[in-house]
Structures are given as C-alpha cells and as structure tokens.
C-alpha cells in the first residue's frame, strides 16, 4: 500500500508532529493493577502522529496503517464498534474533555511500527500520542504523570479494559538507555541505567495475537481483588496485595482458595523480584538478573497462568542456551511476545535455530526484533 501522509489526506501541512513509544517490561508482570512495582523500558518503535487545527468542532482521524478514517463531533463522541482502533483516540478525547480541557476541532494522521496486538503497548502508545499531541496543539500544559493516568482511565472506562498504568506511564516517561522502576501506588519512579555490556534485548513475537479486551485479563484482575478479600479475612485488612509480605502470606496461604492463592503468590513474589532486579541492574549483575527473568516466567506460567505453549517453548529453549542470560514473556500474556537477554555475537546463530525448531512444532515462524531503550513521548 502506498505510504500516505497528512498532506495527502487533508490537503495542507499539519501544525505539529509528535511520537510515543511502545514498551517491553523487564519484570513485574500483573503487578501494576495490584499497586505493586514494574520495571518497563520504552522501545525504539513508536506511533507518530501529525495534527492540525480545524475551524469547526470536529475531529477527523486517519489511521495510516489501516487506511481508515473516522470523523466525530467533539460533543458527540461514543464507542465505535466498527472501527475499534478509533476507541483509543476517542477515549482520550473524552477523558480530556471530562477533565476540563478546552479542545478545538482537529485533523489527525497517525501510523506506527509497533507490532499490533502482541503485547508491546501499541494501544497505550496511540493513547499517549493523542494525549500529548492534543496537549501540545491546544497548549493544555498538562503534566506527563497526569496525562498517563488520564490515558489509563480512557482505556478502563471507554475501551473497557481494566489495565494498570504501566504502559501509558512508560510511554510518557521512558528515557533513552534506561529502565524505569515505578511504584504503582505512589507513582514515584526512578530511572535505572541499562548497561547491557555485550548483551542485547531481543523481542521474540510468537505471532499469537491477543486482545486485551480478551476477558481473561479482566478475570485475572478480579481474582487478585478476591485474593485481597480472602487475605483480609484471615490476616489483616489490606487494600492491595502489595501490603502483604511473603512471610505473612506463607502463614495463611492454606486458608486461601487454590486459584486465588496461586494468583496472590505470584504477585507477592513478583514484587520482590522487581525490587531485587532493579538493584541487580544498578550493580550490572546481568547473570542474576537473567535468572530472575526465568523465575518470573515460570511463575506467570504456573501460578498466574497467563503464558501459553508457544511462549513456554521459546523460554525453555532459550534458557538452556549458553549465549542467553534470561528470557520471559512480557506484557499481559495469553500469546504475544517473549523478551530475552542474548549475547550480541550469538544472535546470528540463535535466530535461525530457534525459528527452525519453532516452525517444526507450530508451523509458523516467530519474529525477532532487536530493541534499544528510548525516550518517552516527544515533539518531532
Ligand atoms: C498489560 C496492561 C498493563 C499490565 C500488563 C501486565 O500490558 O496494559 O497495565 O497490567 O498487561 O503486567
């Protein structure tokens, strides 16, 4: 398909252009909505958005990847069950207006090179690009943290996915060559410099698409909430799983129903792993960090039950390879991507080998992406 742009669609030059990155999460999965800790990295794949003002109160939004356009009245904005991609910008528009921002009419053209629907934060990047772009276009002067929460709310209430704040937060606040340690309760954060020496972060895409609208994500969130209630009954009143130590949990875990026990145990242990990993990365101890990646994966597979055969297969193969320090699924799971820390001069041999074995078993090839830690949303 011919690469179209703003000028071709709208017949004049845009006023501004912005970008917002996708993400991987190094460790801390399904901990964000449990008020715990996460360690994501913004990647060098992104959504780019060009915007121009209109004289009326309409928003005309063109998605370059799909070649589709929607047009809406800012005062009459509702869920679109036909062009579901448009619900991300629609949700952001609604959240901004509800928050009290004065928006004028605008034309928008966006496209991205983040693989879609495979857990690399493409939908959050669309939301962040729109929130940041509209903030810049209309001089709203909103804080990045505030906009991240606003985008999360848009996804929760407009799109209907009860996601946490991680993806939106890192897309706004990512930093080149750094991971971001985020406390999802206080929203305090700290940058951790990534000194990967002769190793590289590699994404392995199983090719299995997963929609967050998939009810299994919301089900896990409900189970964690029920876990909180069960623990409150036999230990102490708590508001989130982050308030329980492993020691306390181990004393009472036999009284918790099995599935809630498994979900809660994952979250409590994963929070510990995140804190430990951030210290290990500060000390450049990549070996120990890699081992914890694998432990996190095992927990997501066995206790939280959000992995799948394909992800398990990839992680199992990679962890046995001497050129790999660690591997795990990243994002919500149920398909999507794994990440691995692989020795640079080993990548060339490992890629065809793993592809071949994967193809034999699943009759399809995984995709590999080498990535670098990048900046959060910015003007271009
Ligand atoms: C998705 C959600 C995040 C987070 C991860 C799992 O990416 O958008 O908020 O819950 O899954 O860690």
């Amino acid at each position: 398909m011919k690469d179209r742009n703003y000028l071709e669609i709208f017949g004049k030059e845009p006023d501004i252009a912005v970008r917002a990155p996708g993400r991987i999460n190094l460790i801390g999965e399904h901990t964000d909505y449990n008020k715990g800790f996460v360690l994501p990295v913004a990647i060098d794949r992104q959504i780019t958005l060009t915007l121009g003002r209109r004289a009326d109160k309409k928003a005309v939004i063109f998605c370059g990847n799909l070649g589709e356009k929607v047009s809406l009245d800012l005062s009459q904005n509702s869920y679109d069950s036909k062009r579901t991609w448009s619900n991300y910008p629609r949700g952001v528009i609604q959240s901004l207006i509800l928050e009290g921002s004065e928006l004028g009419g605008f034309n928008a053209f966006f496209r991205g090179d983040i693989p879609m629907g495979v857990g690399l934060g493409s939908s959050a990047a669309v939301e962040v690009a729109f929130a940041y772009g509209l903030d810049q276009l209309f001089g709203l002067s909103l804080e990045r943290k505030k906009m991240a929460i606003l985008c999360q709310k848009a996804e929760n209430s407009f799109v209907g996915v009860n996601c946490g704040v991680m993806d939106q937060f890192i897309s706004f606040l990512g930093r080149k060559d750094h991971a971001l340690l985020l406390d999802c309760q206080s929203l305090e954060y700290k940058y951790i410099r990534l000194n990967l020496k002769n190793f590289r972060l590699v994404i392995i895409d199983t090719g299995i698409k997963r929609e967050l609208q998939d009810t299994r994500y919301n089900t896990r969130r409900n189970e964690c909430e029920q876990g909180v209630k069960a623990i409150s009954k036999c230990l102490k009143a708590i508001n989130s799983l982050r308030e329980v130590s492993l020691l306390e949990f181990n004393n009472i875990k036999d009284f918790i129903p099995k599935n809630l026990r498994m979900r809660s145990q994952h979250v409590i242990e994963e929070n510990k792993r995140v804190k430990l990993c951030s210290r290990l990365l500060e000390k450049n101890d990549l070996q120990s960090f890699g081992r914890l990646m694998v432990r996190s994966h095992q927990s997501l597979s066995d206790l939280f039950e959000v992995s799948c055969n394909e992800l398990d297969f990839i992680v199992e193969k990679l962890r046995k390879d001497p050129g790999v320090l660690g591997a795990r699924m990243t994002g919500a799971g149920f398909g999507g991507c794994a990440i691995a820390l692989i020795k640079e001069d080993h990548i060339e041999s490992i890629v065809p080998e793993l592809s071949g074995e994967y193809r034999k078993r699943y009759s399809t090839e995984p995709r590999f992406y080498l990535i670098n830690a990048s900046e959060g949303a910015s003007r271009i």
Side-chain angles (χ1 to χ4, degrees), residues 16 18 30 46 67 89 105 111 114 119 165 180 182 189 201 227 231-232 236 242 261-262 288 297 341 352 363:
I16 62 160
V18 298
H30 291 273
Q46 59 196 20
R111 60 175 306 120
I114 311 169
V165 76
L180 180 146
L182 173 64
Y189 59 95
L201 276 169
I231 294 171
S232 293
K236 57 180 180 184
R242 106 82 142 314
R261 179 168 73 223
M262 283 160 48
S288 311
H297 182 82
L341 201 49
S363 318

Side-chain angles (χ1 to χ4, degrees), residues 23 25 28-33 155 163-167 212 217 331-332:
R23 65 103 189 87
N25 187 16
E29 226 62 88
H30 291 273
T31 46
D32 62 350
Y33 55 81
E155 188 148 345
C163 64
V165 76
M166 169 171 73
D167 302 354
L212 267 192
Y217 181 86

